[in-house]
Every structure is written in C-alpha cells, then in structure tokens.
C-alpha cells in the first residue's frame, strides 16, 4: 500500500482553490473580459450599434488621437482625479484613525460616515444639486438668511468643479474608511506598546508604525480610488450635467455621448480602449512606484 509522502499535496487540495474562485472568475469573465474583447473588436469597425459592423482598421484610433475634445475631457478628468485622490485617501484615513479609538457613540458615527457610500452616485448628485442649486439651494438660502449674497455654485465653472470634487469625496470617504479601519485593526497592539515604552510620541508612532504597515491598504485605496474617479459619470451627470459649458464634462460622459448621441458605437469603443490602456499604465506606474504595495522600509 502506497503511503502519501509527508508534506505532499493531494489533487483535491490543488483543485479546491480553483473551485472556490470559479464563480468570481465566471462573473469577471462575463462582465469584464468578454466586454473588453468585444470593445476591442468593435473599435476596429465602423458601427452605429445596429446593423453589420464595417471593418476600418485603425481609422478610429487615428481619429481619436486628433480629437481635441476627447483629450480636453481627459485632461479635465485627470485634474479632477489629481485633486480628489489625495482627499479620498487622507480624509478616510483620518476618520479611520478616529473610529478605531474608544469614543462614545462610535457605532453611530461609523454608520453615519459609511452611509453615503451605500447610495447611488445619481442620488448623491441630486442631493448635492438640492444643496448647491443657485436659485433654490439650501446653501444659498442660508447665506441669504444671514445677510449674505447668492453664490453661483453650479453656473460658475470653478465653483461647479469644486462642488463635484466635494460630492465625490463625500460619497467615497465612508467606503475607504472601512478599508482603512480593517488595515488599522490588523496591526498588532504590541508594536504600539513597545513604542510607548521607548517614549515614542503619538506622531512618531503614526509615521514609524501605522503608516509603514498601512502601505498595502493605502496602495489598494489608491488604485480603486483612481479607477472610480476616472469612471465618474452618474454623480456628475445628475449634479452638473457636464456644465457649465464643458467645465465638468469628464471622459466617460464624452464617450457616452459619442456612443448614444452620435450613434458612433465603434468610435466610442475606441475611446474606451484608449482609456483602459491609460488606466492600465497608471496602475503599473503606481505598482512599481510603491514596490508592489509592500511595506515602507
């Protein structure tokens, strides 16, 4: 009778992990991989969404590289992401640091801060429009009540841009706070106790212990936050509609208009592929720059 070698892995143990991830892989394939392949295919065709696609090779890509409106929307989206991304890292991290402390009503505050991430982006946009509307917004009403004047929150391009950033940070902070809380609670308390014994201040403990050990979580939030910001559509379209002018028209809205307003689905797929490549490059740069999301030395 053959005996299994000590330390050897049976075929069931080898197969079991793949069985466990199979449902996720099926969903990922249906909603991500297959649409990406179809998008790449249609990007090489002239297609209005109906009828037979006509193969035109790289013509859509050549058009995209000279499409100034597309690159302007990409620039606006990049600026929006560069301003918003630090905020949706710093604010949730500070909130998480507060929420892991023993404070009265901690459960209520956790739920209250997390609640905005549970509502849809469209609802968040409508809520902020109700607050910041020039004519009937609550903020302007309060300003008038205290003798101030109305502010053109959504009809001034700079104010509208700032309101979109504020709404984005409000709607995303709770979700990333929970991720940071998970990371903070995984840090052994013995590290802090040893640091206190050595006389380290709270600030020193944060920069020498918390921040280095939180680097994998920060890296994850950085990637997810960047992707979420570049995909911004529902919140912006319900809050400003891309206006005033095109000041808050971001890249996803521009792609949507090319697909469903101009009925140029092939060209919209081309723009989507370009956006996917750009985000992929950003992700690789962040991964390399953070040493693969490892801990800070």
């Amino acid at each position: 009778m053959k005996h299994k070698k000590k330390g050897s892995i049976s075929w069931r143990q080898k197969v079991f992990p793949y069985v466990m991830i199979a449902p996720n892989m099926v969903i990922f394939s249906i909603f991500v991989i297959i649409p990406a392949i179809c998008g790449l295919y249609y990007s090489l065709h002239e297609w209005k969404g109906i009828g037979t696609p006509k193969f035109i090779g790289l013509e859509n890509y050549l058009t995209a590289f000279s499409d100034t409106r597309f690159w302007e929307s990409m620039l606006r989206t990049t600026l929006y992401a560069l301003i918003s991304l630090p905020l949706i890292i710093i604010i949730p991290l500070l909130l998480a640091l507060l929420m892991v402390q023993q404070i009265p009503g901690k459960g209520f505050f956790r739920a209250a801060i997390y609640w905005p991430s549970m509502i849809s982006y469209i609802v968040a946009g409508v809520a902020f429009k109700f607050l910041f509307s020039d004519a009937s917004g609550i903020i302007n009403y309060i300003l008038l009540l205290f003798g101030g004047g109305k502010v053109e929150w959504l009809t001034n391009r700079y104010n509208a841009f700032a309101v979109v950033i504020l709404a984005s940070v409000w709607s995303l902070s709770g979700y990333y706070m929970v991720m940071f809380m998970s990371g903070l609670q995984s840090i052994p308390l013995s590290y802090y106790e040893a640091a206190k014994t050595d006389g380290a201040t709270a600030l020193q403990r944060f920069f020498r212990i918390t921040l280095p050990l939180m680097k994998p979580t920060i890296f994850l939030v950085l990637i997810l936050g960047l992707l979420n910001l570049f995909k911004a559509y529902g919140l912006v379209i319900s809050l400003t509609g891309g206006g005033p002018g095109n000041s808050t028209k971001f890249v996803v809205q521009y792609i949507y208009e090319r697909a469903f307003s101009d009925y140029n689905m092939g060209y919209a797929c081309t723009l989507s592929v370009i956006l996917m490549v750009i985000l992929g490059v950003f992700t690789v740069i962040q991964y390399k720059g953070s040493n693969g999301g490892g801990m800070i030395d």
Side-chain angles (χ1 to χ4, degrees):
M1 182 177 180
K2 292 183 179 180
H3 294 282
K4 191 166 59 173
K5 291 182 180 179
K6 187 177 181 180
S8 63
I9 301 175
S10 68
W11 70 270
R12 287 190 179 90
Q13 290 174 310
K14 292 179 181 179
V15 172
F16 183 72
Y18 297 100
V19 174
M20 294 300 294
I21 66 171
N24 283 336
M25 287 305 300
V26 170
I27 294 172
F28 184 76
S29 298
I30 293 173
F31 292 103
V32 177
I33 296 178
I34 294 175
I37 293 172
C38 291
L40 182 61
Y41 170 79
Y42 287 121
S43 71
L44 302 173
H45 293 75
E46 181 183 341
W47 188 47
K48 296 186 179 298
I50 56 174
T52 304
K54 177 185 176 183
F55 181 77
I56 56 174
L58 298 176
E59 185 176 325
N60 281 333
Y61 288 91
L62 296 175
T63 302
F65 286 122
S66 60
D67 187 347
T68 55
R69 290 185 298 167
F70 170 68
W71 294 110
E72 285 172 359
S73 68
M74 181 67 75
L75 183 61
R76 280 191 295 270
T77 309
T78 303
L79 179 61
Y80 159 71
L82 288 176
I83 297 173
S84 302
L85 192 57
L87 295 175
I88 63 173
I89 292 175
I90 295 171
I91 292 174
L93 179 56
L94 294 176
L95 289 172
L97 286 168
L98 183 62
M99 289 298 106
V100 295
Q101 305 300 319
Q102 296 300 322
I103 58 174
K106 181 170 62 175
F108 169 78
F109 289 114
R110 284 181 178 180
I113 295 170
Y114 182 72
W115 175 77
S117 65
M118 298 177 63
I119 63 177
S120 73
Y121 291 131
I122 293 176
V123 173
V126 170
F128 268 77
K129 190 172 184 178
F130 181 70
L131 287 172
F132 288 95
S133 174
D134 292 358
S136 57
I138 294 176
I139 303 297
N140 273 341
Y141 173 77
I142 294 173
L143 291 175
L144 289 173
L145 200 63
F146 287 93
K150 286 187 176 181
V151 177
E152 297 178 339
W153 294 110
L154 301 181
T155 54
N156 177 282
R157 60 184 305 165
Y158 301 108
N159 291 342
F161 200 85
V163 171
V164 169
I165 292 171
L166 178 63
S168 300
V169 173
W170 178 81
S171 65
L172 294 171
S173 289
Y175 177 72
Y176 295 129
M177 179 197 71
V178 172
M179 296 179 67
F180 281 129
M181 284 174 56
S182 176
L184 289 169
Q185 290 171 341
S186 68
I187 300 175
L189 292 176
S190 58
Y191 291 0
Y192 295 104
E193 292 169 357
K196 284 182 181 179
T197 303
D198 291 338
T201 64
L203 203 60
Q204 288 173 329
R205 293 196 298 270
F206 174 76
F207 283 105
R208 300 291 180 86
I209 299 174
T210 304
L211 200 58
L213 294 177
M214 284 292 290
K215 189 185 175 186
T217 307
I218 292 172
F219 173 73
L220 179 61
V221 171
L222 192 67
I223 296 298
L224 294 177
L226 182 70
L227 295 177
N228 272 329
L229 292 170
F230 264 86
K231 294 188 299 180
Y233 176 73
L235 185 148
V236 180
I237 201 69
S238 60
L239 177 55
T240 65
N246 291 326
S247 59
T248 59
K249 181 180 287 187
F250 299 141
V251 64
V252 171
Q253 183 180 349
Y254 182 78
I255 294 173
Y256 178 89
E257 289 177 354
R258 299 292 73 73
F260 299 104
S261 297
D262 298 346
Y263 300 103
N264 196 343
M265 194 70 68
Y267 184 58
C269 289
T270 301
L271 300 181
S272 298
V273 170
I274 294 173
L275 176 60
M276 180 179 67
V277 171
I278 291 173
L279 290 177
V281 171
F282 282 168
T283 302
V284 171
I285 291 173
Q286 289 175 338
Y287 182 81
K288 295 294 184 181
S290 64
N291 192 27
M295 291 190 299
I296 297 173
D297 296 329

